Amino acid sequence: MSTPRIYLDNAATTPMDAEVVDLMAETMRQCYGNPSSIHFLGRETRILIEKARKTMAALLGCAPSELFFTSGGTESDNMICRYLVEQGEVQRIISSKLEHHAITHTLENLAHLRGIRVDWVKHDSRGVLDLEDLESLLAQDQGSSHRTLVTLMHGNNELGNLLDIARVSALCQSYQAFFHSDTVQTVGHVPLNLQELGIHSISGSAHKFYGPKGVGFIYLRGGHSWGPLIQGGSQERNMRGGTENLAGIVGMARALEKAIHSMDERRARMVSLRERLRRGLVEVIPDLDFNGDWSGSCLPHILSLSFPPHPKGEMLLINLDIEGVCASGGSACSSGAQSRSHVMEALGMHPDRTAVRFSLGSKNTEEEMDQVVQILQKIWHQA
Ligand SMILES: Cc1ncc(COP(=O)(O)O)c(C=O)c1O
């Protein structure tokens, strides 16, 4: 029997939708003008970019002028935090130790280089943020001449936990704080209406919703142009110099359209597949735990497991890989490495336990869930 290939690393990246690939290939073949050129080939590509912006804005519930295209989630997160500090808008930032490194490393850097004060919101052992603690941190600012930036992710990439961003947004509004949310894991997966949420900014990345890698966006309420962070041309209303990634932008808009239209049906499938996998694993692995708020408010496609101490614990991901199963041990950037992730560290996971994240996608099947259970049973009991 040949080794199966089971892809359960969709939170790291998703396989591209075939129709999006075709659309991008066609765009690259046919539309090569520089969107800043005034001739008709340039105007044609400019129209495609603005059409993509309009499509995405309608899907996200915002104005086209509030969306800025970037190279992905990391750039978008960096851009927002750095901008606010560079513009002298904020001198204090509130965040969480459970954020992606695109945020935590940026904040550590801003604290080091710019003397920004960073406060971390408390969380419990499931990684659920303490919103009372957030409120008491916000209350410390009253009377300050500077605004505080609150940056808290919507869906945690390692745990799947979902934050009540409407509640955080309302809290930030009552303390006049700027609220940014890294929504890289939730755009295209969870309903988002930016107009209703009243949030100031979000970041998104196309490769997390079956689109291309290397393209993403920022939503910025009111669509301010703060002046360029990347110096050069006046692209993206002077926010980000550089010739636009035309095919990427066109592909991202189409991928978002498809992801949002299939969201409800996909969600129901993910919930059922994830539960099948979870129940199957509980039956074959003794003392298995699940990380995060998996039975509460969470993304339907992420299941983070905590395996008990075992001779094969250290090599679990490699053994899964040998058996044809792609999973992650930490966040995407450290996948493959069995080093403990900063999130598991912050949750205080016992050092002898091993964390594995399975993240499901639209192509997974019930048979695959059953196969993964069998494979893990074999690895576990063969030691
Ligand atoms: C929550 C979160 N934020 C940011 C990023 C970075 O996105 P990108 O890969 O587009 O730079 C990721 C990618 O794993 C993520 O999961």
Side-chain angles (χ1 to χ4, degrees):
M1 198 178 80
S2 63
T3 312
R5 280 279 144 205
I6 303 178
Y7 187 71
L8 294 181
D9 204 13
N10 288 273
T13 196
T14 49
M16 273 186 71
D17 179 279
E19 191 195 318
V20 172
V21 174
D22 290 346
L23 175 64
M24 287 177 69
E26 193 57 15
T27 306
M28 282 189 272
R29 252 192 302 271
Q30 304 289 342
C31 312
Y32 52 87
N34 187 319
S36 300
S37 297
I38 55 160
H39 51 68
F40 69 94
L41 285 177
R43 292 200 305 276
E44 176 185 76
T45 52
R46 167 66 51 215
I47 287 168
L48 289 179
I49 289 179
E50 295 318 320
K51 206 172 136 204
R53 204 187 307 274
K54 230 172 136 181
T55 301
M56 289 182 60
L59 292 165
L60 295 168
C62 66
S65 59
E66 295 175 311
L67 288 182
F68 298 86
F69 296 128
T70 67
S71 67
T74 303
E75 181 187 323
S76 300
D77 284 338
N78 265 261
M79 209 161 166
I80 291 289
C81 299
R82 291 186 189 283
Y83 249 131
L84 286 168
V85 169
E86 268 177 31
Q87 299 297 308
E89 280 256 344
V90 306
Q91 286 187 345
R92 180 184 180 218
I93 302 178
I94 300 175
S95 189
S96 145
K97 295 262 185 192
L98 308 178
E99 293 289 303
H100 190 273
H101 280 152
I103 291 287
T104 55
H105 285 173
T106 304
L107 301 191
E108 282 154 16
N109 183 256
L110 288 170
H112 178 67
L113 293 180
R114 309 294 296 262
I116 296 300
R117 174 177 153 198
V118 181
D119 290 302
W120 306 105
V121 181
K122 289 184 197 149
H123 55 80
D124 68 14
S125 60
R126 290 166 302 149
V128 176
L129 298 190
D130 179 345
L131 296 190
E132 281 178 20
D133 184 48
L134 171 62
E135 178 151 21
S136 61
L137 288 169
L138 283 167
Q140 291 172 12
D141 264 353
Q142 276 172 331
S144 157
S145 56
H146 288 279
R147 263 176 122 183
T148 288
L149 161 65
V150 173
T151 171
L152 294 171
M153 72 205 311
H154 189 196
N156 187 286
N157 52 305
E158 293 201 36
L159 302 169
N161 288 6
L162 277 172
L163 178 71
D164 183 348
I165 50 171
R167 193 166 153 211
V168 174
S169 185
L171 207 52
C172 288
Q173 274 172 36
S174 59
Y175 288 91
Q176 284 89 47
F178 186 105
F179 178 33
H180 170 67
S181 187
D182 174 338
T183 54
V184 166
Q185 289 290 342
T186 52
V187 171
H189 296 277
V190 169
L192 275 172
N193 187 315
L194 296 168
Q195 190 102 55
E196 283 169 14
L197 276 173
I199 195 166
H200 291 96
S201 63
I202 68 163
S203 46
S205 179
H207 72 103
K208 307 289 185 180
F209 50 85
Y210 306 93
K213 293 169 183 57
V215 61
F217 68 91
I218 290 173
Y219 154 78
L220 187 57
R221 196 164 108 204
H224 317 269
S225 178
W226 288 325
L229 186 69
I230 297 180
Q231 301 281 347
S234 56
Q235 287 90 349
E236 294 306 294
R237 291 192 307 296
N238 210 28
M239 284 271 275
R240 182 180 187 263
T243 303
E244 297 88 340
N245 175 0
L246 172 71
I249 290 168
V250 167
M252 172 163 65
R254 185 70 189 118
L256 185 62
E257 231 175 350
K258 293 194 77 174
I260 288 181
H261 288 148
S262 60
M263 188 188 284
D264 292 345
E265 179 259 333
R266 219 175 50 246
R267 182 184 176 82
R269 257 172 56 74
M270 295 299 104
V271 167
S272 139
L273 289 179
R274 193 182 72 145
E275 192 50 17
R276 188 178 183 102
L277 178 63
R278 199 191 66 77
R279 281 172 193 257
L281 290 174
V282 167
E283 275 178 26
V284 298
I285 314 276
D287 190 24
L288 183 67
D289 264 347
F290 298 94
N291 304 309
D293 194 18
W294 63 272
S295 59
S297 178
C298 63
L299 281 164
H301 61 286
I302 295 185
L303 187 63
S304 170
L305 305 114
S306 159
F307 286 87
H310 187 273
K312 287 211 173 154
E314 288 249 312
M315 301 288 286
L316 203 50
L317 277 188
I318 293 160
N319 278 299
L320 280 168
D321 183 37
I322 292 167
E323 297 289 342
V325 180
C326 306
S328 249
S331 60
C333 39
S334 55
S335 61
Q338 285 286 68
S339 61
R340 176 166 290 254
S341 82
H342 68 287
V343 173
M344 297 308 152
E345 203 78 58
L347 292 189
M349 195 176 111
H350 193 283
D352 293 338
R353 294 188 74 95
T354 305
V356 171
R357 178 191 68 187
F358 289 130
S359 47
L360 282 49
S362 58
K363 296 216 165 102
N364 290 127
T365 61
E366 290 187 346
E367 292 70 40
E368 287 180 332
M369 300 302 108
D370 299 345
Q371 273 178 300
V372 172
V373 172
Q374 281 167 19
I375 288 167
L376 265 167
Q377 181 176 26
K378 185 176 111 187
I379 295 173
W380 208 250
H381 297 290
Q382 258 178 9

